[in-house]
Amino acid sequence: MTKQTKLRTNTINKNENISFPIGTALAVKKYSKKLQFGSIFSSLKQKGIPLKNLIEALVSYKLSENLSITKGSGWINRIEVLEEFYLKEFEQRTLFRCVEIIGQNYEKIILDLQDVLFSLYDFEHNDVNLDWSSLILWGTKSNIGEYGYSRDHRPDKKQITFGISELRHPINIPIGLTIQKGNLNDQKHFQKTFNQIKNKLKPASRIVFDKGANSKESLNSIIAGKMKFLTAKKLNTSDDTLIKNFWNLKIEAIDEDKGIYGFKQIFPSRVNYFYFSKNLQVEQLESKMRKASKQFREAKEIQNSIENKRKLPKKYLINNPLIDMKLSIQTKLPSLTEYEALEIVKKASINGREGFFCLTSSDDLTLEEALTVYRKKDSIEKIMHSLKNEVNIKPLRVWSDNSIYGALLIGYLAQLIISLIRYDYSELKNTSTKFIKISLSNLTVTFEKIKSMKKRVIYSNFDPINELICLQNEAIT
């Protein structure tokens, strides 16, 4: 009798089986039908490969592999993937042309999608959140690429700005996308974003946005549309008197445990809600203390270079061969103790406004109502984060303007589908984009090629999320 005395390793044999994330494809096709992609895209391209099918494949790719458009062509051009989306093999340039076409018509597509959404759903309200951000461009060929305030902390790169409109809590569905030059500030971008959605809103709809877009023109546009606004107001020197007298005014306790207090100022055309938050004060003071410590360390480093007759570290110089720079630097440190130096930088950083903030509205709310409504604006910030970090609309490579519009529209469609999934399935209301994506990608189909040249189709990796979304789809029932 022979006994096995050694462990045998499993041998991997090459085969021609192909697997891909069918869950993502099924979800995208399901919502493509619901959102009427066929009628929206059919008028934009009438010859050759149907545009709707390419869009479905691209959005599925965006929610799964999500590399470059160049890589996307290879991912889609596998026989089984082509069959899933009813496509024939195509050249890489076909995909680039598809992105160009939808980019050229992206504003019309957004308006068509709005028509479909508002005809499909009887939304409980039409209040919206608005927000804006930027994306850096890896190149200089785009006409809309400009240097501006970079939220990605890359001031050395050109960028574009984009705005998102979202139906507020508890709906949380994006209904608008605007794309503008990289040097356009939020106050000017507001007009483009608001104009894109205003015809779908009702009189008395509330528009909520942050202080970066708050301007006289923005507020006047909302009032002219017979709507309401709630936004934040930048504190200035005229508010310092209120801050000094805050505790002597008739303030209301909003949340004593968290140290939140406030009072209202009622004017003919608006109401200001002035707040103090102990937690915010602590956070801001800690941040300013870190800044003061950093400034002290920098001054000390420069002083050491002066005393030891060394060159300044490069981070304090302009590193440009076309610029000759002569510096005469001295610090105040030699005549100060460390304590005195730190007190100077602290005094320069701390202005007494720490913990205070102000909201302003066109209608009279309670202090608690105004704060609650404004705080729920964080849902659009989550959509922005999702677009940038989960759907991954960045990076933007060196493309034409229409290609940039098209690439961002593909990302927007992917985010719209994820948001609609959360809205349609209450069980997933608080599930992040990341986990929905992972679940859909986990549901895979394997095409096993057997000797008779036939294929065996194997579905695997079901879980509660992808079952909920995909098992209702006729393709696999």
Side-chain angles (χ1 to χ4, degrees):
M1 180 178 177
T2 10
K3 291 185 179 180
Q4 181 178 335
T5 56
K6 293 183 180 178
L7 292 174
R8 295 180 183 175
T9 56
N10 292 324
T11 303
I12 299 176
N13 297 316
K14 183 181 176 182
N15 58 56
E16 296 181 354
N17 299 342
I18 288 180
S19 297
F20 75 94
I22 190 69
T24 305
L26 292 174
V28 169
K29 290 199 296 182
K30 179 178 182 176
Y31 278 91
S32 165
K33 183 178 180 181
K34 190 170 189 176
L35 293 170
Q36 302 175 26
F37 280 14
S39 61
I40 290 175
F41 293 108
S42 60
S43 63
L44 305 180
K45 181 177 181 291
Q46 286 152 10
K47 293 182 180 179
I49 298 174
L51 194 58
K52 173 190 81 83
N53 302 44
L54 285 171
I55 299 300
E56 289 176 348
L58 267 173
V59 174
S60 299
Y61 173 67
K62 174 64 72 174
L63 288 172
S64 50
E65 296 289 331
N66 195 28
L67 300 172
S68 64
I69 296 293
T70 304
K71 298 281 186 183
S73 175
W75 185 85
I76 299 169
N77 265 310
R78 295 177 292 173
I79 294 174
E80 287 73 15
V81 179
L82 290 170
E83 288 177 355
E84 182 63 34
F85 293 103
Y86 306 102
L87 290 168
K88 294 180 180 179
E89 190 174 356
F90 57 86
E91 295 181 1
Q92 191 180 94
R93 64 182 180 182
T94 302
L95 212 55
F96 284 108
R97 180 61 184 149
C98 162
V99 175
E100 286 263 352
I101 290 171
I102 64 171
Q104 188 176 357
N105 297 277
Y106 94 92
E107 290 182 288
K108 177 184 180 299
I109 293 168
I110 294 293
L111 295 179
D112 289 343
L113 285 168
Q114 287 177 5
D115 290 340
V116 174
L117 280 171
F118 284 93
S119 64
L120 273 177
Y121 295 96
D122 183 18
F123 293 122
E124 48 262 64
H125 66 73
N126 280 46
D127 296 349
V128 293
N129 295 321
L130 308 181
D131 201 10
W132 300 266
S133 191
S134 61
L135 292 169
I136 61 171
L137 297 177
W138 292 90
T140 56
K141 293 185 179 179
S142 169
N143 293 323
I144 61 171
E146 296 284 354
Y147 293 105
Y149 173 67
S150 175
R151 276 85 160 188
D152 293 325
H153 309 292
R154 289 298 305 266
D156 57 315
K157 293 286 185 184
K158 286 187 176 182
Q159 64 178 22
I160 59 97
T161 57
F162 69 100
I164 295 290
S165 311
E166 174 216 27
L167 289 171
R168 283 178 41 74
H169 178 83
I171 303 170
N172 304 127
I173 293 174
I175 60 167
L177 167 71
T178 54
I179 305 163
Q180 296 290 292
K181 288 190 173 186
N183 60 355
L184 194 72
N185 63 40
D186 290 353
Q187 291 180 352
K188 291 182 179 178
H189 200 156
F190 173 92
Q191 296 298 331
K192 183 78 173 177
T193 305
F194 177 66
N195 288 340
Q196 188 185 63
I197 61 166
K198 67 180 182 182
N199 291 334
K200 288 299 176 186
L201 305 182
K202 296 175 182 176
S205 292
R206 179 175 285 115
I207 317 299
V208 184
F209 53 99
D210 64 25
K211 60 188 174 185
N214 184 355
S215 70
K216 186 177 179 180
E217 291 74 17
S218 301
L219 303 186
N220 285 344
S221 295
I222 296 170
I223 297 300
K226 298 181 179 179
M227 299 175 203
K228 301 181 290 188
F229 63 79
L230 176 64
T231 183
K233 173 182 173 294
K234 292 180 182 178
L235 297 180
N236 51 44
T237 51
S238 65
D239 297 308
D240 289 339
T241 304
L242 284 173
I243 291 172
K244 288 177 183 177
N245 297 320
F246 183 81
W247 300 105
N248 297 322
L249 300 170
K250 293 182 179 180
I251 59 174
E252 296 179 29
I254 298 163
D255 189 332
E256 290 189 12
D257 293 337
K258 294 182 180 179
I260 302 175
Y261 302 86
F263 74 94
K264 290 198 300 186
Q265 290 177 297
I266 300 177
F267 299 96
S269 61
R270 72 183 191 281
V271 179
N272 283 356
Y273 309 84
F274 214 89
Y275 299 92
F276 171 80
S277 167
K278 185 64 180 176
N279 289 345
L280 180 62
Q281 183 188 47
V282 170
E283 289 174 11
Q284 291 179 338
L285 286 173
E286 287 176 349
S287 174
K288 290 184 176 183
M289 287 297 291
R290 288 193 296 271
K291 179 182 177 182
S293 297
K294 181 183 176 183
Q295 290 175 332
F296 174 74
R297 290 194 302 271
E298 288 174 345
K300 201 169 182 179
E301 191 174 2
I302 292 171
Q303 182 61 35
N304 287 337
S305 298
I306 293 171
E307 290 175 355
N308 296 317
K309 297 182 179 178
R310 295 196 305 263
K311 289 184 178 179
L312 287 179
K314 284 186 177 180
K315 62 184 177 181
Y316 302 118
L317 303 174
I318 298 174
N319 296 307
N320 189 324
L322 300 176
I323 297 175
D324 290 326
M325 183 173 65
K326 294 180 181 179
L327 290 177
S328 175
I329 295 178
Q330 65 179 30
T331 73
K332 299 177 181 179
L333 293 181
S335 60
L336 299 171
T337 65
E338 183 171 327
Y339 174 80
E340 290 171 333
L342 279 169
E343 286 301 307
I344 288 174
V345 289
K346 285 179 192 176
K347 189 176 180 180
S349 298
I350 297 170
N351 56 20
R353 297 177 188 169
E354 293 76 24
F356 291 93
F357 61 99
C358 183
L359 304 180
T360 185
S361 174
S362 56
D363 59 329
D364 192 356
L365 305 170
T366 68
L367 284 160
E368 188 172 359
E369 284 172 341
L371 187 57
T372 299
V373 170
Y374 189 77
R375 279 179 168 174
K376 285 183 178 177
K377 186 182 67 68
D378 71 340
S379 61
I380 196 168
E381 293 164 6
K382 289 175 182 175
I383 283 181
M384 286 292 193
H385 179 272
S386 174
L387 277 167
K388 284 189 168 188
N389 301 290
E390 307 299 345
V391 174
N392 281 330
I393 56 175
K394 58 181 184 180
L396 293 174
R397 302 295 179 186
V398 186
W399 296 339
S400 67
D401 292 352
N402 285 335
S403 293
I404 290 173
Y405 299 148
L408 288 180
L409 181 61
I410 292 294
Y412 171 84
L413 292 174
Q415 181 61 54
L416 175 60
I417 288 172
I418 294 291
S419 296
L420 284 171
I421 286 172
R422 278 196 287 260
Y423 184 75
D424 287 338
Y425 301 101
S426 57
E427 303 94 321
L428 305 180
K429 179 65 180 175
N430 297 314
T431 306
S432 71
T433 300
K434 176 181 178 180
F435 288 119
I436 293 174
K437 274 185 62 182
I438 290 172
S439 175
L440 291 174
S441 295
N442 282 345
L443 178 55
T444 58
V445 61
T446 300
F447 296 92
E448 183 184 21
K449 296 187 178 180
I450 51 182
K451 291 181 181 179
S452 60
M453 300 302 292
K454 293 182 179 179
K455 294 178 184 177
R456 188 163 67 132
V457 180
I458 305 167
Y459 294 98
S460 54
N461 303 325
F462 287 94
D463 64 39
I465 294 177
N466 58 45
E467 284 181 23
L468 183 65
I469 300 167
C470 299
L471 281 184
Q472 298 177 35
N473 194 301
E474 294 177 0
I476 62 171
T477 54

